[in-house]
């Protein structure tokens, strides 16, 4: 089984980067890859509770993100540095994630065969 890590770094409503990352994760999962997702930079805001993208006239991609575990995409990670820099805690997030230090992120990235950054 191929191990794929998807890394997102853009704000949730930056073009279609979140939807592209979600599609990528689901496509790899559909072909039986082991998929994990790492949120860094402004992408951590994708995980915030109580978002309403319809106010911006955008589709609610987060509804689809809630189904990730159905596709066995249950390894979700967030950068500790980015979380703290944004003033957020894991209690502010709508999905269960593991918080990683910079060293842990490097170890994680090196453990995957394929890494896709969006």
């Amino acid at each position: 089984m191929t191990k794929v890590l998807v890394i997102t770094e853009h704000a949730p409503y930056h073009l279609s980067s979140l939807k592209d990352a979600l599609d990528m994760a689901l496509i790899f999962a559909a072909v039986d890859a082991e998929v994990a997702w790492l949120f860094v930079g402004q992408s951590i805001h994708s995980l915030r509770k109580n978002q309403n993208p319809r106010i911006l006239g955008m589709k609610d991609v987060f509804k689809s993100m809630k189904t990730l575990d159905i596709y066995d995409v249950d390894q979700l990670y967030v950068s500790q540095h980015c979380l703290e820099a944004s003033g957020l805690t894991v209690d502010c997030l709508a999905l269960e994630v593991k918080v990683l230090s910079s060293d842990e992120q490097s170890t994680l990235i090196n453990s995957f065969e394929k890494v896709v950054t969006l």
Side-chain angles (χ1 to χ4, degrees):
M1 180 178 288
T2 303
K3 293 178 63 172
V4 179
L5 177 64
V6 176
I7 302 175
T8 53
E9 54 192 10
H10 296 290
Y13 307 114
H14 176 264
L15 303 174
S16 64
S17 59
L18 179 61
K19 176 147 180 16
D20 292 345
L22 176 62
D23 289 347
M24 183 77 58
L26 294 176
I27 288 168
F28 280 118
V31 294
D32 291 329
E34 179 184 329
V35 181
W37 194 342
L38 173 61
F39 295 82
V40 298
Q42 293 297 310
S43 74
I44 63 169
H45 295 286
S46 306
L47 300 170
R48 291 180 78 157
K49 292 179 182 175
N50 303 319
Q51 295 188 52
N52 190 356
R54 292 176 194 219
I55 291 172
L56 301 172
M58 301 181 83
K59 185 176 177 182
D60 189 356
V61 176
F62 191 74
K63 281 184 181 179
S64 299
M65 289 179 64
K66 291 179 182 177
T67 66
L68 286 169
D69 59 335
I70 294 171
Y71 298 95
D72 294 326
V73 181
D74 53 7
Q75 299 176 64
L76 302 178
Y77 303 95
V78 66
S79 162
Q80 179 180 20
H81 170 75
C82 297
L83 196 64
E84 291 171 356
S86 295
L88 299 174
T89 65
V90 291
D91 294 332
C92 299
L93 307 180
L95 295 177
E96 190 173 322
V97 298
K98 181 174 181 185
V99 179
L100 300 180
S101 68
S102 295
D103 289 340
E104 290 170 320
Q105 287 176 63
S106 294
T107 301
L108 177 74
I109 291 167
N110 290 329
S111 72
F112 280 81
E113 298 167 48
K114 299 190 184 311
V115 177
V116 179
T117 304
L118 298 169

PDB file of all heavy atoms in Angstrom, residues 5-9 37-41 43-44 76-84 98-112 115:
ATOM      1  N   LEU A   5       1.092  11.581   1.812  1.00  0.00           N
ATOM      2  CA  LEU A   5       0.829  12.684   2.728  1.00  0.00           C
ATOM      3  C   LEU A   5       0.426  13.902   1.914  1.00  0.00           C
ATOM      4  O   LEU A   5       1.149  14.318   1.014  1.00  0.00           O
ATOM      5  CB  LEU A   5       2.075  13.004   3.560  1.00  0.00           C
ATOM      6  CG  LEU A   5       1.961  14.193   4.517  1.00  0.00           C
ATOM      7  CD1 LEU A   5       0.920  13.920   5.593  1.00  0.00           C
ATOM      8  CD2 LEU A   5       3.317  14.500   5.141  1.00  0.00           C
ATOM      9  N   VAL A   6      -0.741  14.444   2.221  1.00  0.00           N
ATOM     10  CA  VAL A   6      -1.208  15.674   1.590  1.00  0.00           C
ATOM     11  C   VAL A   6      -0.922  16.808   2.573  1.00  0.00           C
ATOM     12  O   VAL A   6      -1.288  16.715   3.744  1.00  0.00           O
ATOM     13  CB  VAL A   6      -2.717  15.603   1.270  1.00  0.00           C
ATOM     14  CG1 VAL A   6      -3.208  16.925   0.699  1.00  0.00           C
ATOM     15  CG2 VAL A   6      -3.005  14.455   0.306  1.00  0.00           C
ATOM     16  N   ILE A   7      -0.247  17.848   2.107  1.00  0.00           N
ATOM     17  CA  ILE A   7       0.049  19.006   2.942  1.00  0.00           C
ATOM     18  C   ILE A   7      -0.639  20.216   2.338  1.00  0.00           C
ATOM     19  O   ILE A   7      -0.476  20.498   1.153  1.00  0.00           O
ATOM     20  CB  ILE A   7       1.572  19.271   3.024  1.00  0.00           C
ATOM     21  CG1 ILE A   7       2.305  18.042   3.579  1.00  0.00           C
ATOM     22  CG2 ILE A   7       1.850  20.504   3.877  1.00  0.00           C
ATOM     23  CD1 ILE A   7       3.820  18.177   3.567  1.00  0.00           C
ATOM     24  N   THR A   8      -1.420  20.910   3.159  1.00  0.00           N
ATOM     25  CA  THR A   8      -2.027  22.160   2.698  1.00  0.00           C
ATOM     26  C   THR A   8      -1.466  23.302   3.527  1.00  0.00           C
ATOM     27  O   THR A   8      -1.190  23.144   4.711  1.00  0.00           O
ATOM     28  CB  THR A   8      -3.560  22.154   2.816  1.00  0.00           C
ATOM     29  OG1 THR A   8      -3.937  21.797   4.137  1.00  0.00           O
ATOM     30  CG2 THR A   8      -4.180  21.191   1.847  1.00  0.00           C
ATOM     31  N   GLU A   9      -1.329  24.450   2.870  1.00  0.00           N
ATOM     32  CA  GLU A   9      -0.744  25.594   3.560  1.00  0.00           C
ATOM     33  C   GLU A   9      -1.506  26.898   3.341  1.00  0.00           C
ATOM     34  O   GLU A   9      -1.240  27.881   4.016  1.00  0.00           O
ATOM     35  CB  GLU A   9       0.718  25.764   3.147  1.00  0.00           C
ATOM     36  CG  GLU A   9       0.941  25.850   1.650  1.00  0.00           C
ATOM     37  CD  GLU A   9       2.405  25.738   1.241  1.00  0.00           C
ATOM     38  OE1 GLU A   9       3.249  25.402   2.080  1.00  0.00           O
ATOM     39  OE2 GLU A   9       2.678  25.996   0.066  1.00  0.00           O
ATOM     40  N   TRP A  37      -3.093  13.755   6.239  1.00  0.00           N
ATOM     41  CA  TRP A  37      -3.228  15.152   5.822  1.00  0.00           C
ATOM     42  C   TRP A  37      -2.611  16.027   6.895  1.00  0.00           C
ATOM     43  O   TRP A  37      -2.979  15.938   8.070  1.00  0.00           O
ATOM     44  CB  TRP A  37      -4.698  15.464   5.641  1.00  0.00           C
ATOM     45  CG  TRP A  37      -5.039  16.720   4.910  1.00  0.00           C
ATOM     46  CD1 TRP A  37      -4.235  17.791   4.681  1.00  0.00           C
ATOM     47  CD2 TRP A  37      -6.295  17.042   4.312  1.00  0.00           C
ATOM     48  NE1 TRP A  37      -4.905  18.754   3.970  1.00  0.00           N
ATOM     49  CE2 TRP A  37      -6.187  18.318   3.740  1.00  0.00           C
ATOM     50  CE3 TRP A  37      -7.509  16.376   4.224  1.00  0.00           C
ATOM     51  CZ2 TRP A  37      -7.236  18.937   3.084  1.00  0.00           C
ATOM     52  CZ3 TRP A  37      -8.547  16.993   3.564  1.00  0.00           C
ATOM     53  CH2 TRP A  37      -8.416  18.264   2.995  1.00  0.00           C
ATOM     54  N   LEU A  38      -1.697  16.888   6.485  1.00  0.00           N
ATOM     55  CA  LEU A  38      -1.023  17.819   7.394  1.00  0.00           C
ATOM     56  C   LEU A  38      -1.431  19.243   7.043  1.00  0.00           C
ATOM     57  O   LEU A  38      -1.281  19.671   5.901  1.00  0.00           O
ATOM     58  CB  LEU A  38       0.502  17.666   7.289  1.00  0.00           C
ATOM     59  CG  LEU A  38       1.368  18.667   8.040  1.00  0.00           C
ATOM     60  CD1 LEU A  38       1.117  18.609   9.545  1.00  0.00           C
ATOM     61  CD2 LEU A  38       2.843  18.435   7.713  1.00  0.00           C
ATOM     62  N   PHE A  39      -1.947  19.961   8.035  1.00  0.00           N
ATOM     63  CA  PHE A  39      -2.355  21.350   7.861  1.00  0.00           C
ATOM     64  C   PHE A  39      -1.281  22.250   8.476  1.00  0.00           C
ATOM     65  O   PHE A  39      -0.954  22.117   9.655  1.00  0.00           O
ATOM     66  CB  PHE A  39      -3.696  21.606   8.566  1.00  0.00           C
ATOM     67  CG  PHE A  39      -4.848  20.847   7.959  1.00  0.00           C
ATOM     68  CD1 PHE A  39      -5.086  19.522   8.285  1.00  0.00           C
ATOM     69  CD2 PHE A  39      -5.687  21.472   7.056  1.00  0.00           C
ATOM     70  CE1 PHE A  39      -6.142  18.830   7.723  1.00  0.00           C
ATOM     71  CE2 PHE A  39      -6.750  20.789   6.489  1.00  0.00           C
ATOM     72  CZ  PHE A  39      -6.979  19.464   6.816  1.00  0.00           C
ATOM     73  N   VAL A  40      -0.731  23.134   7.647  1.00  0.00           N
ATOM     74  CA  VAL A  40       0.276  24.084   8.106  1.00  0.00           C
ATOM     75  C   VAL A  40      -0.125  25.481   7.631  1.00  0.00           C
ATOM     76  O   VAL A  40      -1.010  25.628   6.788  1.00  0.00           O
ATOM     77  CB  VAL A  40       1.700  23.729   7.590  1.00  0.00           C
ATOM     78  CG1 VAL A  40       2.147  22.375   8.113  1.00  0.00           C
ATOM     79  CG2 VAL A  40       1.755  23.754   6.072  1.00  0.00           C
ATOM     80  N   GLY A  41       0.539  26.492   8.158  1.00  0.00           N
ATOM     81  CA  GLY A  41       0.253  27.855   7.725  1.00  0.00           C
ATOM     82  C   GLY A  41      -1.203  28.217   7.947  1.00  0.00           C
ATOM     83  O   GLY A  41      -1.839  27.790   8.915  1.00  0.00           O
ATOM     84  N   SER A  43      -3.730  27.202   6.442  1.00  0.00           N
ATOM     85  CA  SER A  43      -4.697  26.127   6.199  1.00  0.00           C
ATOM     86  C   SER A  43      -5.308  25.586   7.480  1.00  0.00           C
ATOM     87  O   SER A  43      -6.366  24.961   7.438  1.00  0.00           O
ATOM     88  CB  SER A  43      -4.053  24.985   5.409  1.00  0.00           C
ATOM     89  OG  SER A  43      -3.178  24.226   6.222  1.00  0.00           O
ATOM     90  N   ILE A  44      -4.680  25.837   8.626  1.00  0.00           N
ATOM     91  CA  ILE A  44      -5.264  25.347   9.877  1.00  0.00           C
ATOM     92  C   ILE A  44      -6.651  25.951  10.113  1.00  0.00           C
ATOM     93  O   ILE A  44      -7.472  25.354  10.784  1.00  0.00           O
ATOM     94  CB  ILE A  44      -4.342  25.597  11.089  1.00  0.00           C
ATOM     95  CG1 ILE A  44      -4.131  27.081  11.325  1.00  0.00           C
ATOM     96  CG2 ILE A  44      -3.036  24.857  10.932  1.00  0.00           C
ATOM     97  CD1 ILE A  44      -3.458  27.391  12.633  1.00  0.00           C
ATOM     98  N   LEU A  76      -5.049  12.984  10.622  1.00  0.00           N
ATOM     99  CA  LEU A  76      -5.039  14.425  10.378  1.00  0.00           C
ATOM    100  C   LEU A  76      -4.078  15.066  11.373  1.00  0.00           C
ATOM    101  O   LEU A  76      -4.146  14.797  12.577  1.00  0.00           O
ATOM    102  CB  LEU A  76      -6.433  15.010  10.546  1.00  0.00           C
ATOM    103  CG  LEU A  76      -7.527  14.413   9.659  1.00  0.00           C
ATOM    104  CD1 LEU A  76      -8.872  15.050   9.978  1.00  0.00           C
ATOM    105  CD2 LEU A  76      -7.189  14.571   8.193  1.00  0.00           C
ATOM    106  N   TYR A  77      -3.204  15.923  10.841  1.00  0.00           N
ATOM    107  CA  TYR A  77      -2.175  16.551  11.660  1.00  0.00           C
ATOM    108  C   TYR A  77      -2.201  18.062  11.471  1.00  0.00           C
ATOM    109  O   TYR A  77      -2.573  18.547  10.405  1.00  0.00           O
ATOM    110  CB  TYR A  77      -0.791  16.035  11.272  1.00  0.00           C
ATOM    111  CG  TYR A  77      -0.653  14.537  11.384  1.00  0.00           C
ATOM    112  CD1 TYR A  77      -0.851  13.715  10.277  1.00  0.00           C
ATOM    113  CD2 TYR A  77      -0.330  13.948  12.599  1.00  0.00           C
ATOM    114  CE1 TYR A  77      -0.731  12.338  10.388  1.00  0.00           C
ATOM    115  CE2 TYR A  77      -0.207  12.570  12.713  1.00  0.00           C
ATOM    116  CZ  TYR A  77      -0.405  11.770  11.604  1.00  0.00           C
ATOM    117  OH  TYR A  77      -0.286  10.411  11.713  1.00  0.00           O
ATOM    118  N   VAL A  78      -1.778  18.773  12.505  1.00  0.00           N
ATOM    119  CA  VAL A  78      -1.703  20.221  12.428  1.00  0.00           C
ATOM    120  C   VAL A  78      -0.388  20.665  13.062  1.00  0.00           C
ATOM    121  O   VAL A  78       0.088  20.064  14.020  1.00  0.00           O
ATOM    122  CB  VAL A  78      -2.927  20.881  13.100  1.00  0.00           C
ATOM    123  CG1 VAL A  78      -2.960  20.632  14.583  1.00  0.00           C
ATOM    124  CG2 VAL A  78      -3.004  22.346  12.800  1.00  0.00           C
ATOM    125  N   SER A  79       0.188  21.704  12.496  1.00  0.00           N
ATOM    126  CA  SER A  79       1.429  22.268  12.999  1.00  0.00           C
ATOM    127  C   SER A  79       1.194  22.971  14.330  1.00  0.00           C
ATOM    128  O   SER A  79       0.347  23.860  14.431  1.00  0.00           O
ATOM    129  CB  SER A  79       1.985  23.268  11.983  1.00  0.00           C
ATOM    130  OG  SER A  79       2.934  24.109  12.580  1.00  0.00           O
ATOM    131  N   GLN A  80       1.946  22.576  15.345  1.00  0.00           N
ATOM    132  CA  GLN A  80       1.840  23.212  16.657  1.00  0.00           C
ATOM    133  C   GLN A  80       2.182  24.692  16.569  1.00  0.00           C
ATOM    134  O   GLN A  80       1.471  25.532  17.127  1.00  0.00           O
ATOM    135  CB  GLN A  80       2.774  22.517  17.643  1.00  0.00           C
ATOM    136  CG  GLN A  80       2.760  23.122  19.032  1.00  0.00           C
ATOM    137  CD  GLN A  80       3.702  22.400  19.970  1.00  0.00           C
ATOM    138  OE1 GLN A  80       4.620  21.700  19.540  1.00  0.00           O
ATOM    139  NE2 GLN A  80       3.474  22.558  21.253  1.00  0.00           N
ATOM    140  N   HIS A  81       3.237  25.004  15.850  1.00  0.00           N
ATOM    141  CA  HIS A  81       3.668  26.397  15.707  1.00  0.00           C
ATOM    142  C   HIS A  81       2.558  27.242  15.068  1.00  0.00           C
ATOM    143  O   HIS A  81       2.242  28.334  15.538  1.00  0.00           O
ATOM    144  CB  HIS A  81       4.948  26.475  14.879  1.00  0.00           C
ATOM    145  CG  HIS A  81       5.313  27.868  14.493  1.00  0.00           C
ATOM    146  ND1 HIS A  81       5.851  28.770  15.387  1.00  0.00           N
ATOM    147  CD2 HIS A  81       5.184  28.530  13.318  1.00  0.00           C
ATOM    148  CE1 HIS A  81       6.044  29.922  14.771  1.00  0.00           C
ATOM    149  NE2 HIS A  81       5.653  29.802  13.521  1.00  0.00           N
ATOM    150  N   CYS A  82       1.971  26.741  13.995  1.00  0.00           N
ATOM    151  CA  CYS A  82       0.924  27.491  13.291  1.00  0.00           C
ATOM    152  C   CYS A  82      -0.337  27.626  14.143  1.00  0.00           C
ATOM    153  O   CYS A  82      -0.976  28.677  14.139  1.00  0.00           O
ATOM    154  CB  CYS A  82       0.591  26.822  11.963  1.00  0.00           C
ATOM    155  SG  CYS A  82       1.980  26.803  10.813  1.00  0.00           S
ATOM    156  N   LEU A  83      -0.662  26.580  14.874  1.00  0.00           N
ATOM    157  CA  LEU A  83      -1.821  26.625  15.757  1.00  0.00           C
ATOM    158  C   LEU A  83      -1.632  27.710  16.816  1.00  0.00           C
ATOM    159  O   LEU A  83      -2.505  28.552  17.027  1.00  0.00           O
ATOM    160  CB  LEU A  83      -2.011  25.254  16.407  1.00  0.00           C
ATOM    161  CG  LEU A  83      -3.337  24.950  17.076  1.00  0.00           C
ATOM    162  CD1 LEU A  83      -4.473  24.952  16.069  1.00  0.00           C
ATOM    163  CD2 LEU A  83      -3.270  23.614  17.785  1.00  0.00           C
ATOM    164  N   GLU A  84      -0.473  27.707  17.448  1.00  0.00           N
ATOM    165  CA  GLU A  84      -0.186  28.695  18.490  1.00  0.00           C
ATOM    166  C   GLU A  84      -0.088  30.110  17.914  1.00  0.00           C
ATOM    167  O   GLU A  84      -0.589  31.062  18.515  1.00  0.00           O
ATOM    168  CB  GLU A  84       1.105  28.330  19.223  1.00  0.00           C
ATOM    169  CG  GLU A  84       0.954  27.085  20.075  1.00  0.00           C
ATOM    170  CD  GLU A  84       2.266  26.576  20.643  1.00  0.00           C
ATOM    171  OE1 GLU A  84       3.345  27.131  20.330  1.00  0.00           O
ATOM    172  OE2 GLU A  84       2.214  25.594  21.410  1.00  0.00           O
ATOM    173  N   LYS A  98      -3.964  15.490  15.383  1.00  0.00           N
ATOM    174  CA  LYS A  98      -2.796  15.348  16.248  1.00  0.00           C
ATOM    175  C   LYS A  98      -1.912  16.561  15.995  1.00  0.00           C
ATOM    176  O   LYS A  98      -1.620  16.892  14.841  1.00  0.00           O
ATOM    177  CB  LYS A  98      -2.042  14.062  15.943  1.00  0.00           C
ATOM    178  CG  LYS A  98      -0.835  13.887  16.845  1.00  0.00           C
ATOM    179  CD  LYS A  98      -0.159  12.561  16.665  1.00  0.00           C
ATOM    180  CE  LYS A  98       1.013  12.499  17.653  1.00  0.00           C
ATOM    181  NZ  LYS A  98       1.794  11.300  17.469  1.00  0.00           N
ATOM    182  N   VAL A  99      -1.502  17.224  17.061  1.00  0.00           N
ATOM    183  CA  VAL A  99      -0.654  18.408  16.956  1.00  0.00           C
ATOM    184  C   VAL A  99       0.801  17.951  16.922  1.00  0.00           C
ATOM    185  O   VAL A  99       1.226  17.152  17.764  1.00  0.00           O
ATOM    186  CB  VAL A  99      -0.904  19.363  18.145  1.00  0.00           C
ATOM    187  CG1 VAL A  99      -0.015  20.585  18.041  1.00  0.00           C
ATOM    188  CG2 VAL A  99      -2.377  19.768  18.198  1.00  0.00           C
ATOM    189  N   LEU A 100       1.555  18.467  15.942  1.00  0.00           N
ATOM    190  CA  LEU A 100       2.952  18.058  15.758  1.00  0.00           C
ATOM    191  C   LEU A 100       3.914  19.225  15.902  1.00  0.00           C
ATOM    192  O   LEU A 100       3.669  20.307  15.360  1.00  0.00           O
ATOM    193  CB  LEU A 100       3.149  17.461  14.363  1.00  0.00           C
ATOM    194  CG  LEU A 100       2.342  16.226  13.989  1.00  0.00           C
ATOM    195  CD1 LEU A 100       2.680  15.806  12.565  1.00  0.00           C
ATOM    196  CD2 LEU A 100       2.600  15.086  14.956  1.00  0.00           C
ATOM    197  N   SER A 101       5.007  18.976  16.579  1.00  0.00           N
ATOM    198  CA  SER A 101       6.101  19.948  16.636  1.00  0.00           C
ATOM    199  C   SER A 101       6.809  19.942  15.283  1.00  0.00           C
ATOM    200  O   SER A 101       6.560  19.066  14.440  1.00  0.00           O
ATOM    201  CB  SER A 101       7.086  19.556  17.740  1.00  0.00           C
ATOM    202  OG  SER A 101       7.758  18.349  17.383  1.00  0.00           O
ATOM    203  N   SER A 102       7.726  20.861  15.094  1.00  0.00           N
ATOM    204  CA  SER A 102       8.478  20.924  13.830  1.00  0.00           C
ATOM    205  C   SER A 102       9.260  19.635  13.589  1.00  0.00           C
ATOM    206  O   SER A 102       9.287  19.121  12.465  1.00  0.00           O
ATOM    207  CB  SER A 102       9.432  22.115  13.830  1.00  0.00           C
ATOM    208  OG  SER A 102       8.701  23.312  13.865  1.00  0.00           O
ATOM    209  N   ASP A 103       9.886  19.114  14.635  1.00  0.00           N
ATOM    210  CA  ASP A 103      10.640  17.863  14.491  1.00  0.00           C
ATOM    211  C   ASP A 103       9.720  16.699  14.135  1.00  0.00           C
ATOM    212  O   ASP A 103      10.059  15.868  13.286  1.00  0.00           O
ATOM    213  CB  ASP A 103      11.408  17.536  15.778  1.00  0.00           C
ATOM    214  CG  ASP A 103      12.578  18.476  16.023  1.00  0.00           C
ATOM    215  OD1 ASP A 103      13.050  19.125  15.054  1.00  0.00           O
ATOM    216  OD2 ASP A 103      13.039  18.551  17.181  1.00  0.00           O
ATOM    217  N   GLU A 104       8.557  16.651  14.767  1.00  0.00           N
ATOM    218  CA  GLU A 104       7.600  15.582  14.472  1.00  0.00           C
ATOM    219  C   GLU A 104       7.075  15.698  13.045  1.00  0.00           C
ATOM    220  O   GLU A 104       6.843  14.681  12.378  1.00  0.00           O
ATOM    221  CB  GLU A 104       6.443  15.612  15.463  1.00  0.00           C
ATOM    222  CG  GLU A 104       6.840  15.202  16.869  1.00  0.00           C
ATOM    223  CD  GLU A 104       5.754  15.456  17.894  1.00  0.00           C
ATOM    224  OE1 GLU A 104       5.077  16.511  17.814  1.00  0.00           O
ATOM    225  OE2 GLU A 104       5.588  14.597  18.787  1.00  0.00           O
ATOM    226  N   GLN A 105       6.917  16.925  12.553  1.00  0.00           N
ATOM    227  CA  GLN A 105       6.474  17.120  11.166  1.00  0.00           C
ATOM    228  C   GLN A 105       7.521  16.574  10.202  1.00  0.00           C
ATOM    229  O   GLN A 105       7.183  15.906   9.225  1.00  0.00           O
ATOM    230  CB  GLN A 105       6.239  18.596  10.879  1.00  0.00           C
ATOM    231  CG  GLN A 105       4.993  19.142  11.530  1.00  0.00           C
ATOM    232  CD  GLN A 105       4.864  20.626  11.293  1.00  0.00           C
ATOM    233  OE1 GLN A 105       4.732  21.057  10.151  1.00  0.00           O
ATOM    234  NE2 GLN A 105       4.913  21.415  12.355  1.00  0.00           N
ATOM    235  N   SER A 106       8.774  16.850  10.471  1.00  0.00           N
ATOM    236  CA  SER A 106       9.851  16.349   9.611  1.00  0.00           C
ATOM    237  C   SER A 106       9.864  14.822   9.597  1.00  0.00           C
ATOM    238  O   SER A 106       9.996  14.207   8.531  1.00  0.00           O
ATOM    239  CB  SER A 106      11.205  16.867  10.096  1.00  0.00           C
ATOM    240  OG  SER A 106      11.274  18.253   9.949  1.00  0.00           O
ATOM    241  N   THR A 107       9.708  14.231  10.771  1.00  0.00           N
ATOM    242  CA  THR A 107       9.670  12.769  10.862  1.00  0.00           C
ATOM    243  C   THR A 107       8.485  12.220  10.078  1.00  0.00           C
ATOM    244  O   THR A 107       8.611  11.228   9.346  1.00  0.00           O
ATOM    245  CB  THR A 107       9.595  12.324  12.340  1.00  0.00           C
ATOM    246  OG1 THR A 107      10.746  12.830  13.024  1.00  0.00           O
ATOM    247  CG2 THR A 107       9.537  10.818  12.464  1.00  0.00           C
ATOM    248  N   LEU A 108       7.336  12.860  10.232  1.00  0.00           N
ATOM    249  CA  LEU A 108       6.127  12.432   9.513  1.00  0.00           C
ATOM    250  C   LEU A 108       6.350  12.498   8.006  1.00  0.00           C
ATOM    251  O   LEU A 108       6.091  11.520   7.293  1.00  0.00           O
ATOM    252  CB  LEU A 108       4.937  13.315   9.900  1.00  0.00           C
ATOM    253  CG  LEU A 108       3.630  13.019   9.167  1.00  0.00           C
ATOM    254  CD1 LEU A 108       3.010  11.731   9.702  1.00  0.00           C
ATOM    255  CD2 LEU A 108       2.655  14.170   9.290  1.00  0.00           C
ATOM    256  N   ILE A 109       6.822  13.623   7.528  1.00  0.00           N
ATOM    257  CA  ILE A 109       7.041  13.806   6.085  1.00  0.00           C
ATOM    258  C   ILE A 109       7.996  12.750   5.541  1.00  0.00           C
ATOM    259  O   ILE A 109       7.751  12.162   4.484  1.00  0.00           O
ATOM    260  CB  ILE A 109       7.544  15.236   5.796  1.00  0.00           C
ATOM    261  CG1 ILE A 109       6.422  16.243   6.076  1.00  0.00           C
ATOM    262  CG2 ILE A 109       8.051  15.364   4.359  1.00  0.00           C
ATOM    263  CD1 ILE A 109       6.869  17.693   6.122  1.00  0.00           C
ATOM    264  N   ASN A 110       9.049  12.476   6.271  1.00  0.00           N
ATOM    265  CA  ASN A 110      10.038  11.487   5.826  1.00  0.00           C
ATOM    266  C   ASN A 110       9.515  10.060   5.854  1.00  0.00           C
ATOM    267  O   ASN A 110      10.093   9.173   5.222  1.00  0.00           O
ATOM    268  CB  ASN A 110      11.308  11.595   6.661  1.00  0.00           C
ATOM    269  CG  ASN A 110      12.071  12.868   6.367  1.00  0.00           C
ATOM    270  OD1 ASN A 110      12.047  13.377   5.254  1.00  0.00           O
ATOM    271  ND2 ASN A 110      12.739  13.400   7.374  1.00  0.00           N
ATOM    272  N   SER A 111       8.408   9.813   6.564  1.00  0.00           N
ATOM    273  CA  SER A 111       7.870   8.452   6.655  1.00  0.00           C
ATOM    274  C   SER A 111       6.931   8.104   5.499  1.00  0.00           C
ATOM    275  O   SER A 111       6.497   6.962   5.381  1.00  0.00           O
ATOM    276  CB  SER A 111       7.137   8.270   7.992  1.00  0.00           C
ATOM    277  OG  SER A 111       5.918   8.976   8.013  1.00  0.00           O
ATOM    278  N   PHE A 112       6.637   9.081   4.633  1.00  0.00           N
ATOM    279  CA  PHE A 112       5.713   8.836   3.523  1.00  0.00           C
ATOM    280  C   PHE A 112       6.468   8.688   2.212  1.00  0.00           C
ATOM    281  O   PHE A 112       7.460   9.374   1.963  1.00  0.00           O
ATOM    282  CB  PHE A 112       4.685   9.966   3.423  1.00  0.00           C
ATOM    283  CG  PHE A 112       3.566   9.807   4.418  1.00  0.00           C
ATOM    284  CD1 PHE A 112       3.728  10.213   5.736  1.00  0.00           C
ATOM    285  CD2 PHE A 112       2.382   9.203   4.041  1.00  0.00           C
ATOM    286  CE1 PHE A 112       2.724  10.036   6.652  1.00  0.00           C
ATOM    287  CE2 PHE A 112       1.356   9.025   4.973  1.00  0.00           C
ATOM    288  CZ  PHE A 112       1.532   9.435   6.275  1.00  0.00           C
ATOM    289  N   VAL A 115       4.588  12.755  -1.159  1.00  0.00           N
ATOM    290  CA  VAL A 115       4.135  13.945  -0.455  1.00  0.00           C
ATOM    291  C   VAL A 115       3.627  14.933  -1.488  1.00  0.00           C
ATOM    292  O   VAL A 115       4.338  15.274  -2.437  1.00  0.00           O
ATOM    293  CB  VAL A 115       5.269  14.580   0.382  1.00  0.00           C
ATOM    294  CG1 VAL A 115       4.792  15.858   1.058  1.00  0.00           C
ATOM    295  CG2 VAL A 115       5.792  13.594   1.419  1.00  0.00           C
TER     296      VAL A 115
END
